[in-house]
Structures are given as C-alpha cells and as structure tokens.
Amino acid sequence: MGLIQPFKPKLKKKDFLALKDFTTAEILDVLNLARELKKQGKAGQPLLKGKVLAMIFEKSSTRTRVSFEAGMIQLGGQAINLSTRDIQMGRGETVADTAKVLSSYVDGIMIRTYKQSVVEELAANSTVPVINGLTDDFHPCQVLADLLTILEVKGSFHGKKLTYIGDGNNMTHSLMMGAAKVGMNCTVVTPESYKPQERFFKAAQEEGKLTGSVIEWTSDPVKGVAGSDVIYTDVWASMGQEEEAEERIKAFADYQVNSDLEAHAKKDYTFMHCLPAHRGEEVTAEILDGPHSVVFHEAENRLHAQKALLTLLMGD
C-alpha cells in the first residue's frame, strides 16, 4: 500500500466539539479521508507515529473507547484510557488544570462526559486538539460515521431524506446539524414533550438554508417516515436517564420502528442505529437484524471516521 500522497486539507479549528463549528468542506474532507483510510485498512501508513491520545471517560463506552484506541494503534500512535476515577479531575481538580497538565504529556484529548461546558472548558485551556466523544448535547463523532455510512450505501446526500424517530436527544441534535451541513433533508419525529432543544433545531434549520436541505419536526411517525431513504433511531432512555425508563417506554410506545412503520418508507430504505440497541423497545429484532439494517457497518465506520479525524487534527 502506498502512502496517501499528500492529503493537504487540515481542519481550520484545532478542536472538534460540535459539527456546527465546521464547514461543509471540512466535514467532507474528513469523510473523503475516511474512505481512503478504510481502503488501506490495517496496512495503512503510520500517519500518527509517536503520537499519544488521552481518552477521558466520565461516561462508559464500547464503540467510542475501542474505535479511538484501535484507530490510534492502526495509525502508529497510542491511546491512554482515563476514567474520572483514575485522574484528579474526578477528585476536585479543575477542568482547566487538567487540560494544562494533559497538554504537556499528550498530542490530543478525547473526552466523553455529561456537560458540553466541560468539553468547552477543556478545549479553552488545552494546547492540543480536544475531541468531543459525547456530551448530553452532542454526539458529533457518531454522526461522522453515520454520514460516511449513508454516503457509502446511498452514493450521495443530495435529495435524500433521513428520518430520526425517538427521543430528541444528543443524537438528534448532531444528526440534524450533520444533515444540514451536507445538504440532506432531515425529519425529526418525537412526542411533543420530547422534542429536540429549540436552539439546536433552529440552528440546523438556518444551516439547511445554506445547503438547500429541509430540517423539520413532526409528532406523527407515519408522516415522518413517509418516503424516507434512511430511518434512524436510538434508545428511549439514555445514560443518566435510567430512572425515567418506565415513563419513557409509555411515552414512546407509538414510536417503535417496526414492520408496520417501515412500510411507509421507500422500498430500498436503510435502517440505522447508533447502538447499543434494545430490541423490542425502540426497534424490533426483525428490523434491527433485517435486510435493511446497516447498524454493524455503521458501527465499524466509527473506526474509519475517527482515524480520519485524528489524522487531520493531530497529524503533521
């Protein structure tokens, strides 16, 4: 395999905190490099040789932890896993002090936490790139993988309709903005009391005006799914909402992705889920494990999208 020679675009901002901060061109640069790195596989060149990524986990993870660590290893670097039980940030040291100390040891920081303000404070005080692995507001790394998957499966974003059905959570916020950035239409389907935050919805709509995409909301699952190219869902109770699980199951009872609902989508629609999934709740096993599902293809693409992001942020 030859070295990618040379991939010139560098992300203008040193941090990856939210999709809103990046231009369409920058997002497409990540996706294009991800496709190249995916072709090369494990035999690719050590583009991050000698680089170290610190990974802070206030929220536990499977896909985020393994994809970032494996990605760094495949790129010739290393990753250090840090839970808040392992570092002083979990014992009262300020986020700012943690950022300054880690910046002197490593070449990048990825954090998966609750408050977006923690990620922003970390970035403000760090001299190395900071990546948002997930917060209660956003899940931008997941959406990079989602966009890569849609591009591979559908061939383009133009004229495609993505329908997200379920809770108006961090996935919703990032999916709306991601769709708007690449010019894809996005319909959000939630109960009235579980709508995405209005400020994020309006921001995505404004971005959509620039790219020609329509970002809309409805409480009607059938109306929302009608004519969809992609149906996307997520768990009804996210991490930290376990006490609300029973209440949420009742609230979302009519929002399950099942054979009755999928009948209103295009015949060649694609089903996506960020995982982990609860079969029998937000989606039936028939759909999740069925012929339209690309959830494991999508999960694999976390690795490739993040390798591209790491290379563009941390590479020389």
Side-chain angles (χ1 to χ4, degrees), residues 49 63 167 216 218 246 266 273 311:
K49 185 177 181 179
R63 279 149 291 277
D167 182 25
E216 58 185 4
T218 179
E246 217 172 288
K266 289 184 178 178
H273 192 306
T311 299

Side-chain angles (χ1 to χ4, degrees), residues 4 7 9 28-39 47 304 307-309 311-312:
I4 297 173
F7 195 87
L28 293 178
D29 281 343
V30 177
L31 300 183
N32 289 331
L33 181 55
R35 297 179 85 172
E36 291 300 318
L37 292 172
K38 187 173 182 178
K39 287 178 187 176
L47 301 173
H304 308 302
K307 284 172 69 175
L309 181 65
T311 299
L312 290 170

Side-chain angles (χ1 to χ4, degrees), residues 11-314:
L11 295 180
K12 293 178 182 177
K13 295 181 182 292
K14 74 180 184 74
D15 305 308
F16 186 67
L17 309 186
L19 289 167
K20 66 180 176 60
D21 299 328
F22 292 85
T23 66
T24 297
E26 288 171 333
I27 290 171
L28 293 178
D29 281 343
V30 177
L31 300 183
N32 289 331
L33 181 55
R35 297 179 85 172
E36 291 300 318
L37 292 172
K38 187 173 182 178
K39 287 178 187 176
Q40 291 207 354
K42 294 179 184 178
Q45 297 294 322
L47 301 173
L48 295 181
K49 185 177 181 179
K51 299 294 178 82
V52 179
L53 176 72
M55 306 189 302
I56 302 173
F57 289 95
E58 190 173 7
K59 283 188 174 184
S60 59
S61 169
T62 299
R63 279 149 291 277
T64 300
R65 160 78 191 274
V66 179
S67 58
F68 268 108
E69 188 163 351
M72 283 298 296
I73 293 170
Q74 290 180 21
L75 291 167
Q78 292 185 331
I80 301 172
N81 178 46
L82 303 167
S83 77
T84 48
R85 296 187 301 275
D86 301 325
I87 58 176
Q88 297 299 330
M89 196 173 88
R91 300 185 183 94
E93 183 170 53
T94 67
V95 174
D97 287 353
T98 299
K100 292 169 186 174
V101 171
L102 288 181
S103 294
S104 68
Y105 299 151
V106 302
D107 304 284
I109 302 168
M110 187 282 297
I111 181 167
R112 182 177 164 99
T113 186
Y114 291 91
K115 295 180 180 179
Q116 181 70 14
S117 59
V118 170
V119 178
E120 292 170 357
E121 185 178 357
L122 193 69
N125 290 278
S126 171
T127 57
V128 299
V130 172
I131 297 171
N132 179 1
L134 174 140
T135 64
D136 288 343
D137 285 345
F138 303 119
H139 200 352
C141 289
Q142 176 65 52
V143 172
L144 287 179
D146 296 336
L147 294 176
L148 177 60
T149 305
I150 292 169
L151 190 58
E152 289 177 333
V153 174
K154 298 300 183 184
S156 71
F157 300 117
H158 181 69
K160 298 297 186 292
K161 178 184 177 180
L162 164 68
T163 296
Y164 173 87
I165 179 168
D167 182 25
N169 58 16
N170 51 4
M171 272 309 314
T172 321
H173 299 156
S174 289
L175 277 171
M176 292 188 302
M177 182 56 71
K181 287 286 185 181
V182 300
M184 181 169 52
N185 298 325
C186 179
T187 299
V188 175
V189 186
T190 73
E192 178 74 35
S193 56
Y194 290 91
K195 294 171 69 172
Q197 290 187 39
E198 188 68 14
R199 58 185 170 134
F200 300 138
F201 182 70
K202 287 184 175 178
Q205 284 188 315
E206 288 302 309
E207 187 66 36
K209 292 177 183 177
L210 302 176
T211 60
S213 65
V214 176
I215 311 298
E216 58 185 4
W217 170 85
T218 179
S219 61
D220 184 339
V222 172
K223 178 182 176 182
V225 166
S228 294
D229 296 281
V230 178
I231 299 176
Y232 197 119
T233 192
D234 189 12
V235 294
W236 291 339
S238 298
M239 197 175 295
Q241 298 173 332
E242 289 82 3
E243 291 183 1
E244 303 173 26
E246 217 172 288
E247 174 188 339
R248 285 171 170 267
I249 287 173
K250 293 177 183 176
F252 291 105
D254 295 329
Y255 291 81
Q256 183 186 73
V257 180
N258 52 38
S259 57
D260 290 336
L261 188 61
E262 74 163 354
H264 299 279
K266 289 184 178 178
K267 291 188 181 301
D268 64 345
Y269 90 94
T270 297
F271 175 76
M272 299 177 70
H273 192 306
C274 55
L275 301 180
H278 295 165
R279 289 170 174 81
E281 288 187 15
E282 73 273 9
V283 60
T284 61
E286 176 187 13
I287 299 298
L288 187 73
D289 302 315
H292 293 278
S293 176
V294 295
V295 297
F296 298 110
H297 175 176
E298 176 188 3
E300 180 194 333
N301 276 341
R302 287 292 301 275
L303 172 66
H304 308 302
Q306 284 157 194
K307 284 172 69 175
L309 181 65
L310 290 165
T311 299
L312 290 170
L313 289 175
M314 294 169 56

